[in-house]
Amino acid sequence: MAEMAGKLYICGTPIGNLEDISLRALRILKEADLIAAEDTRNTVKLLNSYDIKTPLTSYHKFNEEEKGKKLIEKLKAGANIALVSDAGMPGISDPGEVLINMCIDEGIEVSVVPGPMAFVSALVLSGIGSRSFVFEGFLPSNKHMRKEVLKRLETEMRTTVFYEAPHHLTDTLKEIYAAAGNRKAAAVREITKKHEEALRTELRELIDYFEENPPRGEFVIIIGGREEKDKPEISLTVKEQFELFLKQGYDRKEAMKLCAKERGVSKKVIYAELLKDN
């Protein structure tokens, strides 16, 4: 790599409250030759708040490969680029991870400017054990991968953290409930904003709450780990549980087998219950 090559700065930015920007991040954003932003419309609000005039370019999941190559060329030519996400730390559930790895592969220097992270903030707000936890981000849309993640959750003894959009929240909570049983749980939204809210309860109560109160805003879901003494608590009907397994990608035969296993009965009993509902 040429001595005059530039550097990529991974810059954490506020997740809601613009006062949460660090002094170093402000300096880097001012001194960089270019800012690569996931959403330039969102980032320009931050820049205007601090009178930062650095040029902006868009870098998001729909142009990550093509634009990534162009940014690499600029870095090789000596430009210093600040990478920012829509909010929080680039590389965490966003396309920044692709550019970071492209730089590493090309031998381009990468530096981090730490900042807020939604899942860490939500975890400490939840009050659920944080000594050992796993961050899953958004559940995969691929049915097989989604099934694998939920399957692991059945016996996971660490706290698990997910991201979810409001229009999918209730269905996702039901899927988690079907896999994990009634665990300690929290749903956190609007972190650092005026209407910051942390609902701390159990999975079943969260589901009931959001069925009555349509969710708004982006959510972080925190699920407590399974304790040795815990057994999955099932208050879903056989049909509801069967349909959830189908939604997770299992075929009808597998779904009946899992229902039987969870309930400690034979597949014949499950089949008979499903016939009753038809």
Side-chain angles (χ1 to χ4, degrees), residues 1 5-9 75 80-81 103-104 106-111:
M1 179 53 56
K7 183 188 292 188
L8 179 74
Y9 291 92
L75 287 158
N80 290 318
I81 298 177
C103 287
I104 292 170
E106 292 288 339
I108 295 169
E109 188 175 357
V110 179
S111 182

Side-chain angles (χ1 to χ4, degrees), residues 89-197:
M89 282 297 296
I92 303 294
S93 290
D94 85 351
E97 182 179 6
V98 175
L99 181 59
I100 292 165
N101 280 290
M102 289 174 75
C103 287
I104 292 170
D105 290 343
E106 292 288 339
I108 295 169
E109 188 175 357
V110 179
S111 182
V112 66
V113 183
M117 286 181 279
F119 81 87
V120 173
S121 301
L123 177 61
V124 296
L125 272 175
S126 75
I128 296 174
S130 60
R131 186 187 69 81
S132 181
F133 66 91
V134 55
F135 173 65
E136 290 286 359
F138 289 94
L139 275 170
S141 55
N142 176 279
K143 287 186 177 181
H144 177 72
M145 294 174 65
R146 192 180 187 93
K147 182 169 67 175
E148 288 299 314
V149 172
L150 291 167
K151 181 69 176 176
R152 292 197 301 268
L153 194 58
E154 291 180 21
T155 55
E156 181 60 74
M157 299 181 73
R158 296 170 295 179
T159 297
T160 306
V161 186
F162 297 96
Y163 284 159
E164 192 51 276
H167 54 289
H168 292 309
L169 181 69
T170 305
D171 285 342
T172 296
L173 289 172
K174 287 179 179 179
E175 288 187 82
I176 293 171
Y177 179 80
N182 196 25
R183 306 273 185 87
K184 183 184 292 186
V188 184
R189 70 181 189 98
E190 298 293 286
I191 302 170
T192 76
K193 299 179 185 178
K194 182 178 180 180
H195 299 293
E196 177 179 280
E197 182 178 31

Side-chain angles (χ1 to χ4, degrees), residues 6-21:
K7 183 188 292 188
L8 179 74
Y9 291 92
I10 308 167
C11 289
T13 54
I15 56 178
N17 192 317
L18 296 185
E19 294 179 6
D20 291 335
I21 189 79

